[in-house]
Amino acid sequence: MSVLALASQAPAPEITAADVVLTGDRPTGPLHLGHYAGSLANRLRLQRLCRQFVLIADLQALTDNAADPGRVSRNVMEVALDYLAIGLDPARSAIVLQSAVPEMAELAMLYLNLVTVARLERNPTVREEIRQRGFARDLPAGFLCYPVSQAADITAVAATLVPVGADQAPMLEQTVEIVRAVNRLAGAAVLPEPRILLSTMPRLPGLDGRGKASKSAGNAIDLRDDSDTVRAKIRRMYTDPGHLRVEDPGKVEGNVVFATLDAFDPDPTAVAELKRRYRAGGLPDVAVKRRLEEVLEALLGPIRERRAQLARDPGEVRAVLRQGTEAARAQAARVLDAVRGVFGLARP
Ligand code: ATP
Ligand code: MG
């Protein structure tokens, strides 16, 4: 199923109007097609089903970007623009700036007392990220602890549903452990236990076909790219190196153009027919790429237009951020009061 079909899909039975969703992104760069396939399309669906908080996690981004905080602050607005341009509706999806919700930071501070260093070091996703970044004794403590900060974010808005890719499942496990520890301490269900909503979309590969599309690898089509840039990126997309002559049979597996068509082409029958002809031989790469250009232009053209319009009115975008952040703070203040009570903290 393409992500476009997902976004317009009928309500999923396991989600009710009483659910509260928390999701978000680290503002380390503009969002790309991988984000659209992996999470944004699903958020467009979820916002029609229940209340949603979408967090711009700038504090979390600082845990491995403290040497270059400008990278984080610069991208807050970019990510907010991406959200609004794809059609997140601030009336249904509160867009929240993490650093402007001090209640989340205070909750994280309290939760840190419920988690051991050994537990933090066991988190398989964090371990892998530490390895990728080459951290040793210079590992920022904030980075090791970011799953606790995520537990704070999730519980602050009393989220019941957290949509994530499989790599994020350990974060939700950590959150559930913290929720149970708080509730045990309280002797009552002070915090709701959030459920995980696992993404079923395969990872969108990067242009080079070597890994997933990602901001830091610079191998992605960004949502804000103009059509010339998109065309140039499609031109250098990895196809099948064995497909030398048009009449040769081509491979569809591992072919980034087909993977991207699978994700975004609204007509899967047409894609199946293209695959059949490509495998049989006689269909040039350039023909498949032309199809992808059309499909992506249909998706990104309107997004680009809305984004340009919004970018002309940054005051309006800031107002949306402020309102979303206030909504999150109102909820977070109630949760924080309850958790402070569990720890026996009184305000003088
Ligand atoms: P970075 O390179 O800084 O790690 P990134 O491009 O990998 O950035 P993240 O902010 O790490 O983006 O990703 C956040 C979430 O976006 C992921 O957990 C996943 O749900 C989704 N996502 C990112 N890239 C892809 C992709 N290529 N395909 C599908 N989903 C993706
Ligand atoms: Mg990443």
Side-chain angles (χ1 to χ4, degrees):
M1 182 181 37
S2 80
V3 292
L4 305 175
L6 171 79
S8 58
Q9 211 189 338
E14 76 273 24
I15 304 167
T16 74
D19 273 311
V20 177
V21 166
L22 180 87
T23 125
D25 297 279
R26 293 154 38 103
T28 50
L31 301 180
H32 52 69
L33 279 182
H35 294 114
Y36 198 97
S39 57
L40 299 176
N42 194 35
R43 292 178 198 169
L44 292 176
R45 171 175 75 124
L46 288 171
Q47 76 175 355
R48 287 190 274 108
L49 304 178
C50 62
R51 180 83 176 119
Q52 178 165 244
F53 291 91
V54 185
L55 192 69
I56 302 183
D58 55 346
L59 285 184
Q60 190 186 315
L62 280 177
T63 64
D64 61 341
N65 284 284
D68 183 14
R71 178 178 179 205
V72 176
S73 52
R74 256 196 322 277
N75 281 301
V76 167
M77 195 62 169
E78 294 302 315
V79 171
L81 282 171
D82 285 332
Y83 285 165
L84 294 173
I86 62 149
L88 281 184
D89 172 3
R92 309 191 133 265
S93 300
I95 301 178
V96 183
L97 184 61
Q98 185 190 27
S99 63
V101 187
E103 293 80 3
M104 287 174 172
E106 192 173 342
L107 278 172
M109 195 71 190
L110 292 170
Y111 295 165
L112 280 170
N113 301 312
L114 302 173
V115 181
T116 64
V117 173
R119 174 65 182 92
L120 291 168
E121 286 174 343
R122 241 182 3 252
N123 185 311
T125 300
V126 175
R127 281 172 81 107
E128 173 58 20
E129 289 170 342
I130 288 172
R131 198 192 57 74
Q132 283 167 2
R133 288 164 177 73
F135 286 140
R137 292 293 296 164
D138 61 346
L139 169 67
F143 190 84
L144 183 65
C145 298
Y146 88 73
V148 177
S149 161
Q150 284 186 335
D153 303 338
I154 292 167
T155 54
V157 297
T160 59
L161 204 57
V162 184
V164 292
D167 61 319
Q168 292 297 304
M171 307 308 162
L172 209 69
E173 269 167 43
Q174 176 69 86
T175 299
V176 168
E177 284 174 30
I178 290 172
V179 164
R180 289 184 181 162
V182 170
N183 290 346
R184 206 162 35 240
L185 208 54
V190 170
L191 299 174
E193 251 182 55
R195 305 175 339 262
I196 189 167
L197 187 65
L198 262 187
S199 162
T200 51
M201 294 304 297
R203 293 261 142 165
L204 193 73
L207 301 173
D208 48 12
R210 270 200 227 112
K212 68 157 197 119
S214 96
K215 288 175 215 143
S216 42
N219 62 351
I221 294 178
D222 294 339
L223 298 179
R224 65 173 190 187
D225 282 344
D226 60 35
S227 39
D228 285 345
T229 307
V230 174
R231 207 171 308 122
K233 285 181 176 176
I234 292 176
R235 212 173 300 132
R236 68 181 168 93
M237 241 180 205
Y238 180 88
T239 56
D240 168 12
H243 189 230
L244 293 174
R245 288 167 309 180
V246 172
E247 58 274 23
D248 290 341
K251 248 178 71 185
V252 163
E253 292 70 29
N255 186 316
V256 181
V257 183
F258 278 108
T260 314
L261 278 175
D262 276 335
F264 295 104
D265 196 315
D267 185 352
T269 322
V271 177
E273 174 58 14
L274 277 181
K275 285 182 180 171
R276 192 194 60 71
R277 289 174 54 203
Y278 193 78
R279 284 195 177 108
L283 185 65
D285 277 2
V286 63
V288 192
K289 289 189 169 183
R290 208 172 301 125
R291 167 99 192 176
L292 183 59
E293 264 176 40
E294 283 164 21
V295 164
L296 291 187
E297 187 52 32
L299 173 72
L300 296 177
I303 292 177
R304 198 181 294 134
E305 218 167 280
R306 254 195 317 268
R307 203 178 191 287
Q309 218 168 33
L310 289 157
R312 281 195 286 275
D313 196 356
E316 178 59 29
V317 179
R318 275 195 294 273
V320 164
L321 262 179
R322 210 160 36 238
Q323 279 159 22
T325 301
E326 271 161 25
R329 282 199 74 179
Q331 176 58 46
R334 287 190 286 273
V335 172
L336 178 60
D337 265 348
V339 174
R340 283 178 60 107
V342 173
F343 282 95
L345 300 174
R347 298 188 192 273

